[in-house]
Amino acid sequence: MPSPLYLVVHGHFYQPPRENPWSGVVPGQPSAAPFPNWNARIDRECYAPNALARILDQNGLIGKIVNNYKYMSFNVGPTLLSWLKEHDGATHALIVAADREAARERGGHGPAIAQVFNHIIMPLANARDKLTQIKWGKRFFEATFGRSPEGMWLAETAVDLESLALMKKEGIRFTILAQNQIRATRPLDSSRRMEWTEALSPVDPREPYRVFFGPGEDDFLDVFVYDGPVSRSVAFENLLRDGKAFLDRIRLAFGTPVEGRPTLVNLATDGESYGHHFHFGEMALAWLFDSLLSSDDPQEIKLANYAEFLSLHPPRLEAQIFPNSSWSCAHGVERWRSDCGCRVGGDPSWNQKWRAPLREGLDALRDELIEIFEREGPQCLRDPWAARDDYVEALIHDYDPAAVDAFLGRHLREGSGGEESASRALALLESQLMSLYMFTSCGWFFDDLAGLEPIQNLRYAGRAIDLAQKFTPKDLTGPLLERLREAKPNSPLYANGEELWRAEVAGFSLGAVQAASQWAAAASMDTPEALKEYRYVSFKERHGEKVGKKAGEPLPHLFWGQASFRETRTREERDFAALVLADDGPKLNILVFDASEGEPPAFQRAKTIFLEKGPTFLRSALEAIYPEATAFSLESLWPSVKSEILTGQLREFFEELRDYATKAFRNYQDALRQYSLKENAWDWMDQFVFRVMAEVELDNILKPMRDGRPIDLKRLRDLIGQDSGGLSRNVPVIKERAGVYVKKLFSQLKRGPRRPTLLEELLNFLVLLKSVLKDLDFWENQNQYFRLLSHEPSLFRALGESDREFLGEIGRVLGFSDAFTSARLA
């Protein structure tokens, strides 16, 4: 019999949690520019493109769009899935749909597998943390994909026998390892008495293995061993530059199959290889899948996923693993606790001696948090550890109050004290969540303690301390800082980890008092929208009063307010009062008072001084009047709050500038156009003036689109056309606004009634843009067109012949082949 050939391509898609643990906001990450953070950047470069991967025809036009997730094997980390669900619901839905569709076609075996929850190195964790990671990863998978996972990805494929045993206990059937993690193999035999063959060279990855972790017949987990050389070629050797070369390399990996025995080639890489690490890598992957799926050769390679293959071809070999080994450290798991030499690259003078004190400090903190949890938990929870394992339900439902109430109903000890007991229980559980997050593997993987990932882990530690400190007289911060003093960053920003902590952790916390200062500043400056980003905190204003030196002038003024602060995750509430003295600049003096134990200081004295002697005198007297208050300033506010306040202050200035620029452009546009053609280089003032005028004029032209009205294409052509002399063709805002306008027009196509000229307007607009802006990115608009033609059949029934022609022309402008468009318009 011919040997069946199977191919599995596994993608490990993962990003660590990035939200500030006090607020729920992902801070801006300048290194991800032009995107606000790395999640957003990699989503646009990888996660979304793999759900809508292009296959081009011989003319370079889009002939097919493929959802790669349907044909590969993949895991998506729960923290990334949560982010995608909130920020890119369309891609999240396509990933879930891919698993569901593939499972229907492959005997119920979908391509998705679970992942240990927040990517901790399992061999370095205690048994309880290992179990929680597995339980949470499994439950999150079930809530996302609507089925139980058959496989589970171990972070960095770091493995030990205890982890395998716990995975099996939770119903997991298999995991994926690297070739170097297998110590020895032997034929699978019920007596288990056959001799082992040491894996002196990398073990054969072309079939699965069974690993026993105990003496019982069922004490095993099956493992797949990915093909290291081919996977490395994908990840590091530019194999994705050419889909055909990719397929040829895979064919070579099958070697000489054994007659009648199935042969498996399986690859495993970071999913980011397909589009983020290698631009257009998702297209090479889509071409590979399409070539195999469209082949009519019965001997052709069959696409499969791990669960499907295992159901058809169980292991015939047993394997021993190297415990405490991983796929990305030649020294086992030392990369996550010592200066083993494994690194990303960079300055050869750098070292990773900081890894050990960071690990030791967090280990010691974790143990203190366990002691607190086990001592305090039974006072409010029936079974604290069972409650922790079930706490994933709060994360799955994004802390929806009904879901949290249901959770508390299952676990809160009867008669333990109502809301106060619930708040204590939630604070303890949240501190345990932070304890898990602070061991996210990325904190040790890269080269510098002052990098994004170690800082993020330390912020989780800081939040854990904030939540747990009220339960113990011990200083939880001091012992950690002692160890961090021994951790020396490679970059010169901080002398040691303690300095880093004080700047990057303590300065980022948002306790009740700090939160009150954010609210007081926003309330005093009439910018409540500045607080809309803060997901983990909420405010209820009880009283507010503002007096100004002159009626109707925003500055200077004095604000006095009272409000309640609530942590949405722990339900802890505190009352506070705040006084804000705002002066020109603006300069803010913010004083916060604890109002939980009675009335705060009276406002009248400060008000009298402000009105009679002025803001300068009051500012110098504030400390003497209110020595018990906690003081803040504009500089101490979080970026989004500060930005909203400054934007509000500058709004009138910007409106005046806009009006002036509009008038100036209209009066001098012909002269400006001629001036822009002069041969000598523009100085900075020329560039600034032209940019401001062009952007303002563009905004005026595109303004009708906000109301769904057509824009004046002639004015737009005059602005950005070839005869404008380059006045504004290089202004980035044109590309951004143009993309928004096209999206709006596509959205209007799906809604009725539509303007009769809508399709013609869209076509003319696209033609104009494409003729002038050569590098305009139509990716999202292509996706809209694809969805429109694939999922809106009712639309075409209502279209006349001329509209169909317009729709076909729109497809050509967007880069679709005639065959693609005509097949869907037929």
Side-chain angles (χ1 to χ4, degrees):
M1 289 180 60
S3 302
L5 308 179
Y6 293 93
L7 171 66
V8 176
V9 179
H10 184 83
H12 166 52
F13 295 93
Y14 159 73
Q15 288 296 309
R18 299 188 183 276
E19 293 80 7
N20 182 291
W22 287 275
S23 69
V25 177
V26 178
Q29 296 174 326
S31 59
F35 297 89
N37 56 66
W38 278 101
N39 280 13
R41 176 170 171 174
I42 300 175
D43 179 34
R44 175 58 184 84
E45 294 175 350
C46 173
Y47 309 135
N50 272 288
L52 296 158
R54 278 64 164 157
I55 296 177
L56 306 183
D57 66 11
Q58 65 274 18
N59 298 314
L61 300 174
I62 300 171
K64 294 180 181 179
I65 290 185
V66 174
N67 187 339
N68 283 342
Y69 297 102
K70 180 177 177 181
Y71 304 107
M72 65 192 311
S73 168
F74 66 88
N75 67 282
V76 184
T79 53
L80 175 57
L81 277 171
S82 294
W83 186 90
L84 284 171
K85 188 173 183 180
E86 180 178 355
H87 297 279
D88 186 0
T91 296
H92 184 277
L94 286 170
I95 291 172
V96 173
D99 180 75
R100 184 169 55 247
E101 293 169 10
R104 281 199 303 264
E105 297 171 8
R106 298 181 182 276
H109 303 290
I113 67 171
Q115 177 197 290
V116 291
F117 187 76
N118 66 283
H119 214 262
I120 71 172
I121 300 303
M122 295 287 274
L124 298 180
N126 62 38
R128 283 205 181 276
D129 284 358
K130 289 176 182 175
L131 181 60
T132 299
Q133 286 284 314
I134 294 165
K135 282 180 173 289
W136 284 15
K138 176 186 176 183
R139 181 68 189 99
F140 207 95
F141 182 96
E142 291 169 344
T144 301
F145 295 100
R147 62 179 180 86
S148 293
E150 297 182 76
M152 178 169 280
W153 180 268
L154 293 166
E156 304 291 340
T157 75
V159 68
D160 61 351
L161 292 177
E162 184 178 50
S163 296
L164 297 182
L166 291 171
M167 291 163 69
K168 179 62 177 284
K169 182 179 177 182
E170 293 302 313
I172 303 300
R173 295 180 59 202
F174 68 87
T175 191
I176 306 162
L177 300 179
Q179 288 173 272
N180 63 287
Q181 292 180 270
I182 302 299
R183 183 198 300 271
T185 65
R186 65 182 179 186
L188 189 58
D189 179 80
S190 59
S191 66
R192 296 169 64 185
R193 293 176 181 172
M194 300 185 71
E195 292 295 321
W196 290 99
T197 301
E198 294 290 327
L200 299 177
S201 59
V203 71
D204 189 344
R206 296 180 297 171
E207 55 185 311
Y209 296 86
R210 183 154 292 174
V211 176
F212 284 87
F213 47 76
E217 290 184 4
D218 294 327
D219 293 342
F220 68 84
L221 199 80
D222 293 333
V223 300
F224 288 90
V225 180
Y226 68 85
D227 188 305
V230 182
S231 298
R232 283 191 295 274
S233 294
V234 169
F236 305 112
E237 299 170 11
N238 294 318
L239 188 58
L240 296 176
R241 287 183 301 182
D242 182 346
K244 186 178 183 302
F246 189 13
L247 179 55
D248 290 343
R249 182 69 179 82
I250 288 169
R251 292 189 194 281
L252 188 64
F254 280 97
T256 304
V258 177
E259 188 172 343
R261 185 186 302 168
T263 302
L264 170 70
V265 167
N266 73 112
L267 324 178
T269 68
D270 285 332
E272 285 77 17
S273 297
Y274 306 106
H276 172 56
H277 297 160
F278 296 99
H279 200 35
F280 303 125
E282 82 284 354
M283 295 174 65
L285 186 62
W287 186 93
L288 170 73
F289 291 155
D290 186 65
S291 295
L292 295 178
L293 289 166
S294 58
S295 173
D296 55 6
D297 183 353
Q299 302 302 311
E300 185 57 276
I301 300 165
K302 298 177 177 63
L303 289 174
N305 60 60
Y306 286 122
E308 176 192 17
F309 184 90
L310 197 60
S311 68
L312 297 172
H313 307 289
R316 64 180 193 88
L317 296 173
E318 180 185 352
Q320 288 180 336
I321 64 167
F322 284 107
N324 301 340
S325 60
S326 67
W327 76 343
S328 53
C329 178
H331 314 92
V333 293
E334 294 306 306
R335 186 170 192 154
W336 297 276
R337 64 180 175 187
S338 72
D339 186 11
C340 68
C342 291
R343 54 191 296 179
V344 173
D347 192 327
S349 68
W350 283 15
N351 66 72
Q352 285 71 52
K353 293 178 181 178
W354 54 269
R355 287 174 178 163
L358 177 62
R359 170 69 62 177
E360 292 163 5
L362 294 182
D363 278 347
L365 175 59
R366 174 201 61 203
D367 293 343
E368 289 287 353
L369 294 171
I370 289 173
E371 182 181 322
I372 293 168
F373 187 64
E374 291 188 327
R375 183 184 68 245
E376 300 292 330
Q379 298 178 36
C380 48
L381 294 165
R382 296 189 187 100
D383 181 338
W385 291 110
R388 191 182 85 157
D389 287 341
D390 193 33
Y391 192 54
V392 68
E393 295 299 326
L395 279 71
I396 287 170
H397 296 95
D398 198 22
Y399 291 83
D400 175 75
V404 176
D405 285 342
F407 167 83
L408 292 170
R410 293 192 297 273
H411 296 284
L412 208 60
R413 182 179 291 280
E414 293 180 12
S416 58
E419 280 300 313
E420 182 179 352
S421 179
S423 181
R424 289 173 63 84
L426 291 171
L428 288 166
L429 289 161
E430 193 69 8
S431 73
Q432 285 295 301
L433 170 65
M434 297 297 111
S435 178
L436 293 169
Y437 275 178
M438 70 189 187
F439 288 107
T440 302
S441 68
C442 304
W444 287 266
F445 187 86
F446 298 99
D447 294 344
D448 191 19
L449 178 63
L452 289 175
E453 294 80 9
I455 288 173
Q456 184 72 6
N457 283 19
L458 287 172
R459 286 176 181 164
Y460 289 124
R463 175 61 172 157
I465 290 171
D466 279 359
L467 291 160
Q469 189 65 75
K470 63 185 174 184
F471 296 105
T472 179
K474 290 184 181 180
D475 175 15
L476 297 176
T477 307
L480 176 60
L481 293 186
E482 285 182 19
R483 287 177 169 87
L484 289 178
R485 284 187 206 113
E486 304 168 16
K488 310 293 184 184
N490 286 301
S491 58
L493 292 174
Y494 306 106
N496 56 42
E498 181 182 14
E499 275 192 16
L500 182 147
W501 173 278
R502 299 196 185 285
E504 299 286 356
V505 179
F508 246 74
S509 66
L510 190 70
V513 176
Q514 292 92 335
S517 71
Q518 314 290 321
W519 170 83
S524 73
M525 300 299 288
D526 299 316
T527 56
E529 64 276 9
L531 299 168
K532 65 178 181 292
E533 288 187 38
Y534 296 92
R535 301 173 60 213
Y536 299 169
V537 297
S538 62
F539 305 90
K540 183 178 181 181
E541 184 173 326
R542 302 187 183 280
H543 171 73
E545 179 183 351
K546 187 193 293 188
V547 293
K549 192 172 182 181
K550 293 181 181 179
E553 291 187 2
L555 296 173
H557 71 249
L558 186 67
F559 172 83
W560 171 258
Q562 292 174 257
S564 292
F565 161 80
R566 178 182 174 93
E567 285 195 353
T568 55
R569 287 194 165 195
T570 65
R571 300 186 174 181
E572 180 183 359
E573 291 191 16
R574 286 183 60 181
D575 295 328
F576 58 81
L579 180 147
V580 181
L581 173 61
D583 205 346
D584 291 321
K587 299 175 183 176
L588 300 183
N589 288 78
I590 308 162
L591 300 182
V592 178
F593 309 86
D594 185 353
S596 58
E597 298 181 358
E599 286 296 319
F603 177 44
Q604 192 58 45
R605 185 177 177 189
K607 178 178 177 179
T608 300
I609 295 173
F610 176 80
L611 293 175
E612 293 181 358
K613 298 187 177 181
T616 302
F617 188 90
L618 176 58
R619 181 176 296 107
S620 63
L622 280 175
E623 186 175 343
I625 299 172
Y626 301 118
E628 74 279 20
T630 305
F632 299 90
S633 65
L634 179 68
E635 287 69 32
S636 68
L637 297 177
W638 276 27
S640 59
V641 176
K642 187 190 301 185
S643 175
E644 286 290 341
I645 289 173
L646 294 176
T647 300
Q649 288 300 298
L650 293 171
R651 188 168 289 117
E652 185 175 344
F653 165 75
F654 286 134
E655 287 300 324
E656 290 178 5
L657 180 62
R658 181 181 299 278
D659 289 344
Y660 177 80
T662 298
K663 293 174 184 176
F665 186 87
R666 302 286 168 77
N667 291 335
Y668 298 104
Q669 56 183 317
D670 289 337
L672 283 167
R673 184 174 292 112
Q674 293 301 318
Y675 185 72
S676 71
L677 294 170
K678 70 176 187 175
E679 294 182 1
N680 55 306
W682 294 0
D683 60 25
W684 72 269
M685 181 59 75
D686 293 335
Q687 296 176 31
F688 173 76
V689 169
F690 288 161
R691 181 183 179 92
V692 169
M693 290 188 176
E695 290 196 17
V696 170
E697 177 65 4
L698 176 69
D699 193 56
N700 290 331
I701 293 171
L702 298 181
K703 192 177 295 183
M705 77 180 186
R706 299 171 190 167
D707 305 320
R709 294 180 289 115
I711 63 172
D712 188 334
L713 282 178
K714 183 179 183 304
R715 280 179 65 193
L716 182 63
R717 188 178 295 106
D718 290 342
L719 178 69
I720 68 174
Q722 296 291 345
D723 61 341
S724 71
L727 180 62
S728 62
R729 275 179 284 154
N730 295 319
V731 179
V733 74
I734 294 179
K735 299 176 182 179
E736 176 190 342
R737 304 280 176 81
V740 170
Y741 183 57
V742 174
K743 287 174 69 174
K744 281 184 173 290
L745 290 176
F746 269 113
S747 297
Q748 290 177 38
L749 278 175
K750 295 172 65 175
R751 301 192 308 266
R754 298 183 304 276
R755 297 194 304 275
T757 59
L758 182 61
L759 283 169
E760 186 176 4
E761 291 171 23
L762 175 56
L763 176 60
N764 291 336
F765 186 61
L766 288 171
V767 169
L768 172 61
L769 292 177
K770 194 167 185 179
S771 66
V772 178
L773 304 175
K774 302 300 184 185
D775 59 343
L776 189 63
D777 184 1
F778 283 123
W779 184 81
E780 182 54 46
N781 304 133
Q782 291 169 346
N783 295 341
Q784 286 182 292
Y785 185 79
F786 170 68
R787 294 189 191 103
L788 197 68
L789 266 61
S790 301
H791 307 298
E792 300 291 335
S794 60
L795 169 70
F796 308 123
R797 286 196 291 269
L799 291 179
E801 188 59 34
S802 61
D803 283 342
R804 286 173 178 268
E805 291 178 4
F806 280 131
L807 206 53
E809 284 296 325
I810 289 169
R812 294 186 187 96
V813 174
L814 289 176
F816 286 90
S817 68
D818 286 343
F820 179 95
T821 302
S822 60
R824 285 158 178 79
L825 289 177

